[in-house]
Amino acid sequence: MNDINLRSRQSWKEIAIRTAFVLVTVTLVVWFMPREQQQTFSFEQGKVWNYPDLTAMFDFPVFKSQAVIDAERKDSLEKYKPCYQYDASVKQQKLHEFREATGMTSRSFTFNYLRMVVAKLDTVYERGIIDDRKPLNIPSGQFLQMQGVREIGKKSCSQVMTPREAYEYIVNSSDLRYFGDIINHLNLNNYLVPNLSYDSRLSDSLRNSLINSVVPSTGIVQAGEKIIRTGEKIDQASYMKLTSYMQKLQQQNSLTKRVPMNILGEIIYVLLIIVGFTWYLGTYRKDYFENIRSACMIYVLVILFSILASVLVDHSMMHVYILPFAIVPIYIRIFMDSRTAFMAHITVILICASILHYPLEFIAVELAMGLTAIFMLHELSSRSQLFWTATVTIIAGVAMRMALYMIRHQDMDAFNVWELYYLLISGVLIFCSYPLVYVIEKVFGFLSEITLIELSDTNKELLRTMSEVAPGTFQHSVMVGNLAAEVARKIGANVQLVRTGALYHDIGKTQNPIYFTENQSGGISPHDHLNYMESAQMIISHVTEGIRLANKHHLPSQIRDLIATHHGQGKAKYFYIKYKNEHPDEPVDDLLFTYPGPNPFTKEQAILMMADAVEAASRSLPDYTEHSIRTLVERIIDSQVSEGFFRDCPITFRDIQYAKTVLIEKLKTIYHTRISYPEEKK
């Protein structure tokens, strides 16, 4: 029941961790996604459209440019005629007043000049008298509209007069020129008043109707209609369509009801991708997912590059090709495996493709670059390998981008060369990312192949010291490394890790090398002066001393674990058995003869334990026949299995059987029988 409860708690814990990874990733990625995607378009009239074919997603009018609208309004306003109210009673009243004042109504005889003045007054009133010319605002010679007791008519602007102009017209007329003094006494100003009054309401209405008669659009683009094709030159008509489309798209994105719909779509899209990727890790790479550091590194890379792409697109900084997306599969391939690297790369480019207007080209180019990087980095064993990886990766990306362009176009005239420049820059960034390998190792606790190769350099301080003060131990470590590497290669373990760990597994012996048989000469042993418990403690101490030296020289944790587990919780059997044989009736404190451990918990540690024990024991064989070697290997490894050293280790019985076979074959090769050379007779 306790086991069932424990498994249930572990299951719920795994579900909680996976859910947390998914929710955090989706939240951060969606949060930084650009909301207004039309900003990714940049175009100018007369330039070439370098984006994919653009198709209208909805009906929209093609708006005229502001300059065209202003010109059409100006032409329309040439028809504008200000409106005036015509009052016919003004003329009749003022003429009657003039006749009354001059006595023309009571006399039977009237002076001739008075009749001429009345005629002139009639003329100016017929032409029209206005109070001010400012409301006209139209060139002289054009017409204005009149409205009043008569039907609406038109009158030339050059005919109408102000009261002052009417007075001067009458006084300076040729007919009345000689009656100036007499006319001055008639007070004509009293009889010259405006009979045309400016109608601002009607005039403004007429003006606005003329302005509104100019249609702001020239036509309608139907949904599904092709707006412009890739490589097509942007003429005036295309420019008007593109501008209108962007304007309409911006209006739709500004609607409050549309924003939640976009966000909901983004959440569903990213959630499906991340859930699928998490399902892959939990099903096929459970070891990575259960290791919090490994899972954190994978999700951090996915989040980081998704956010960087969103920031570039949202702020229209540079082309998204400048981002070295191939770094994601490169780093995951270095520290994990190719399949996980490919799945992570697919996850990143699918998320980034959703924020772009040219997703197919982006997916094809980045997929080619990512696959090339994975294929090139089967093992990262030197700095030059990263250089060639970056070079070949960029060549693949450039070739894919040009191939896609040539599929759709007949010539290269309209090709955007800047895209290639951005790809080259991303290649430089891939090559310069080499120092980040060390950062990832320190932050997430990984160990790369190249670091292991550097640690296995025999000029390193610890290894050089071992070769000088404990040459026998050094030779033993090299032999163990060769044996363990062959076993690791056979059963699919980390070859370089187990080889490097084998070189360091006995560095603790450098503190007291003479106490170990491989470093003794002349048949003299310091154990002759120690009791069995003291000798056992001296032998056991090489593990604790090795861990102390590893910590002092900052060796990776994986190497320290190999040092600690290469004897597991086994016993110093030689002195343990000796003590028991000489003290058969006394109780034995097993802890005094037991290594501190722990037992191996990885394949590499188990391999090192088997190779170390077999290589050390093989030196004591009296003869090296196939039977003796096979018997030795099977006895030692079967003893380790029966004592439970591999109980906590993910190694199978099949792996152990393969390990036996490899060790037997390698020892047979090492200790092969040589022929004896004959001596020459003298």
Side-chain angles (χ1 to χ4, degrees):
M1 181 65 69
N2 291 334
D3 292 340
I4 295 175
N5 292 335
L6 179 61
R7 286 195 298 269
S8 178
R9 286 196 298 270
Q10 290 177 344
S11 176
W12 280 108
K13 183 179 179 181
E14 290 179 1
I15 294 174
I17 293 174
R18 296 180 187 183
T19 304
F21 275 122
V22 170
L23 292 179
V24 170
T25 303
V26 172
T27 301
L28 291 175
V29 170
V30 173
W31 181 271
F32 284 92
M33 276 188 165
R35 301 278 93 85
E36 297 181 0
Q37 299 186 14
Q38 72 274 10
Q39 293 182 355
T40 56
F41 288 128
S42 178
F43 55 89
E44 296 180 17
Q45 187 172 343
K47 301 292 185 179
V48 174
W49 179 257
N50 292 313
Y51 300 100
D53 296 353
L54 183 61
T55 303
M57 296 186 295
F58 42 76
D59 297 346
F60 67 93
V62 180
F63 297 106
K64 302 174 185 176
S65 65
Q66 190 60 43
V68 173
I69 293 176
D70 292 342
E72 292 183 359
R73 286 177 177 174
K74 184 178 180 182
D75 294 340
S76 179
L77 286 176
E78 290 181 357
K79 304 175 183 178
Y80 170 68
K81 300 174 181 62
C83 294
Y84 284 79
Q85 291 290 342
Y86 176 77
D87 190 353
S89 63
V90 173
K91 183 183 75 168
Q92 297 173 2
Q93 180 182 353
K94 291 303 178 182
L95 288 179
H96 177 72
E97 290 177 359
F98 180 78
R99 291 189 179 100
E100 287 287 339
T102 56
M104 293 181 66
T105 57
S106 60
R107 297 177 184 178
S108 58
F109 174 75
T110 303
F111 291 106
N112 189 42
Y113 71 89
L114 291 177
R115 291 194 297 270
M116 287 189 290
V117 171
V118 171
K120 294 298 181 184
L121 287 173
D122 183 83
T123 301
V124 296
Y125 275 112
E126 284 296 324
R127 292 178 63 175
I129 300 176
I130 60 174
D131 185 47
D132 191 1
R133 283 187 176 272
K134 289 182 179 179
L136 292 178
N137 265 340
I138 57 177
S140 178
Q142 294 193 14
F143 295 87
L144 55 86
Q145 297 187 105
M146 295 188 306
Q147 180 171 306
V149 295
R150 301 187 302 184
E151 294 181 357
I152 295 177
K154 296 181 180 179
K155 186 174 287 293
S156 174
C157 293
S158 60
Q159 292 180 343
V160 297
M161 304 176 185
T162 62
R164 181 180 180 82
E165 291 173 343
Y167 178 82
E168 292 176 353
Y169 171 78
I170 295 173
V171 172
N172 296 326
S173 64
S174 58
D175 297 340
L176 299 174
R177 186 178 303 169
Y178 302 104
F179 304 100
D181 294 336
I182 299 173
I183 292 175
N184 288 336
H185 292 87
L186 296 176
N187 295 323
L188 291 178
N189 288 325
N190 296 331
Y191 310 105
L192 294 172
V193 294
N195 66 341
L196 290 176
S197 59
Y198 179 68
D199 191 336
S200 60
R201 183 186 60 80
L202 193 58
S203 297
D204 291 343
S205 176
L206 177 60
R207 184 184 181 88
N208 291 334
S209 65
L210 291 173
I211 292 174
N212 295 332
S213 65
V214 177
V215 181
S217 61
T218 59
I220 297 291
V221 175
Q222 302 291 333
E225 183 179 341
K226 192 75 69 176
I227 299 175
I228 193 169
R229 299 182 183 276
T230 305
E232 188 175 326
K233 190 174 182 180
I234 304 174
D235 54 15
Q236 184 177 4
S238 300
Y239 183 79
M240 292 171 63
K241 290 182 180 180
L242 289 170
T243 306
S244 303
Y245 183 71
M246 294 297 105
Q247 183 178 348
K248 188 68 175 179
L249 188 62
Q250 186 175 7
Q251 291 175 355
Q252 291 191 356
N253 288 338
S254 63
L255 297 177
T256 55
K257 294 182 179 179
R258 186 174 177 84
V259 173
M261 187 65 68
N262 287 346
I263 295 177
L264 180 61
E266 291 168 353
I267 291 174
I268 295 174
Y269 179 82
V270 177
L271 183 64
L272 289 174
I273 295 175
I274 297 300
V275 167
F277 180 62
T278 304
W279 178 82
Y280 159 78
L281 290 176
T283 304
Y284 298 102
R285 285 294 179 266
K286 196 171 184 179
D287 52 337
Y288 296 155
F289 200 82
E290 291 176 348
N291 187 330
I292 297 299
R293 291 188 174 185
S294 300
C296 283
M297 190 199 86
I298 296 173
Y299 284 95
V300 164
L301 288 175
V302 172
I303 294 171
L304 177 62
F305 278 87
S306 299
I307 291 177
L308 288 176
S310 296
V311 170
L312 283 182
V313 173
D314 193 23
H315 295 84
S316 299
M317 294 186 198
M318 286 175 284
H319 201 287
V320 73
Y321 282 153
I322 199 172
L323 288 176
F325 289 98
I327 284 181
V328 175
I330 286 176
Y331 283 165
I332 296 178
R333 176 62 192 88
I334 289 174
F335 299 112
M336 298 178 194
D337 65 283
S338 299
R339 187 163 57 172
T340 304
F342 175 74
M343 293 299 295
H345 187 56
I346 286 291
T347 300
V348 172
I349 63 175
L350 285 179
I351 292 175
C352 295
S354 66
I355 63 176
L356 304 174
H357 281 290
Y358 43 97
L360 295 180
E361 285 79 356
F362 171 78
I363 292 174
V365 171
E366 295 300 337
L367 187 61
M369 296 174 67
L371 287 173
T372 304
I374 293 172
F375 295 153
M376 290 291 294
L377 277 179
H378 179 65
E379 289 182 0
L380 181 60
S381 57
S382 63
R383 295 180 180 87
S384 61
Q385 190 175 354
L386 191 61
F387 170 78
W388 286 112
T389 298
T391 303
V392 178
T393 297
I394 296 309
I395 292 174
V398 170
M400 178 62 74
R401 183 66 191 92
M402 295 183 68
L404 291 173
Y405 182 85
M406 288 186 286
I407 290 174
R408 299 188 177 185
H409 301 83
Q410 299 298 324
D411 53 58
M412 301 295 292
D413 295 339
F415 185 74
N416 187 7
V417 183
W418 277 102
E419 291 185 6
L420 303 186
Y421 294 155
Y422 287 126
L423 288 173
L424 292 176
I425 294 173
S426 69
V428 174
L429 293 176
I430 292 173
F431 179 69
C432 294
S433 65
Y434 176 77
L436 291 178
V437 174
Y438 296 101
V439 176
I440 293 178
E441 287 181 350
K442 298 300 181 183
V443 173
F444 297 103
F446 292 119
L447 195 58
S448 65
E449 296 285 335
I450 194 166
T451 300
L452 291 172
I453 292 173
E454 291 174 350
L455 287 174
S456 63
D457 184 3
T458 55
N459 289 317
K460 291 287 183 181
E461 181 180 354
L462 282 175
L463 297 181
R464 188 178 68 252
T465 301
M466 182 191 296
S467 66
E468 292 173 354
V469 303
T473 299
F474 180 77
Q475 293 300 322
H476 162 70
S477 299
V478 173
M479 292 288 291
V480 171
N482 292 334
L483 292 173
E486 290 300 322
V487 175
R489 187 175 289 108
K490 181 67 176 179
I491 67 175
N494 191 325
V495 176
Q496 193 58 49
L497 174 60
V498 76
R499 185 190 295 276
T500 305
L503 292 176
Y504 286 91
H505 81 284
D506 275 344
I507 57 172
K509 293 181 179 180
T510 57
Q511 302 304 297
N512 296 288
I514 194 64
Y515 285 92
F516 301 92
T517 56
E518 65 266 23
N519 299 312
Q520 297 171 1
S521 60
I524 300 174
S525 174
H527 290 288
D528 296 338
H529 306 288
L530 301 175
N531 60 45
Y532 294 135
M533 288 183 291
E534 291 174 340
S535 295
Q537 287 298 308
M538 187 60 67
I539 296 299
I540 292 171
S541 68
H542 86 275
V543 174
T544 56
E545 285 296 320
I547 295 174
R548 184 184 66 81
L549 289 173
N551 290 326
K552 179 181 177 181
H553 290 83
H554 307 290
L555 293 182
S557 60
Q558 292 88 335
I559 302 298
R560 296 198 299 269
D561 291 339
L562 287 169
I563 295 172
T565 58
H566 76 277
H567 283 294
Q569 293 178 332
K571 293 181 174 60
K573 285 190 176 181
Y574 179 85
F575 298 107
Y576 177 71
I577 295 173
K578 283 277 189 179
Y579 183 87
K580 287 188 67 175
N581 290 338
E582 293 185 8
H583 305 83
D585 299 327
E586 296 181 10
V588 181
D589 187 357
D590 290 352
L591 291 178
L592 295 176
F593 297 91
T594 304
Y595 286 95
N599 288 328
F601 51 86
T602 67
K603 273 187 178 183
E604 290 76 16
Q605 294 165 6
I607 292 170
L608 180 59
M609 173 181 275
M610 290 185 284
D612 177 53
V614 167
E615 201 284 330
S618 67
R619 295 173 179 266
S620 62
L621 286 175
D623 57 343
Y624 296 101
T625 64
E626 180 177 353
H627 175 72
S628 63
I629 292 174
R630 183 179 299 277
T631 301
L632 173 72
V633 171
E634 291 185 351
R635 176 175 58 82
I636 291 175
I637 295 180
D638 289 344
S639 174
Q640 291 174 340
V641 173
S642 63
E643 291 180 21
F645 289 151
F646 306 141
R647 190 173 299 157
D648 301 326
C649 177
I651 193 170
T652 64
F653 286 108
R654 182 181 182 184
D655 294 335
I656 294 173
Q657 192 59 44
Y658 277 134
K660 289 180 182 179
T661 303
V662 172
L663 290 172
I664 291 170
E665 294 301 321
K666 292 299 293 183
L667 288 176
K668 285 168 55 180
T669 303
I670 293 171
Y671 299 114
H672 66 280
T673 304
R674 296 179 178 271
I675 62 173
S676 58
Y677 288 87
E679 294 184 2
E680 182 181 358
K681 294 182 179 181
K682 297 183 181 179

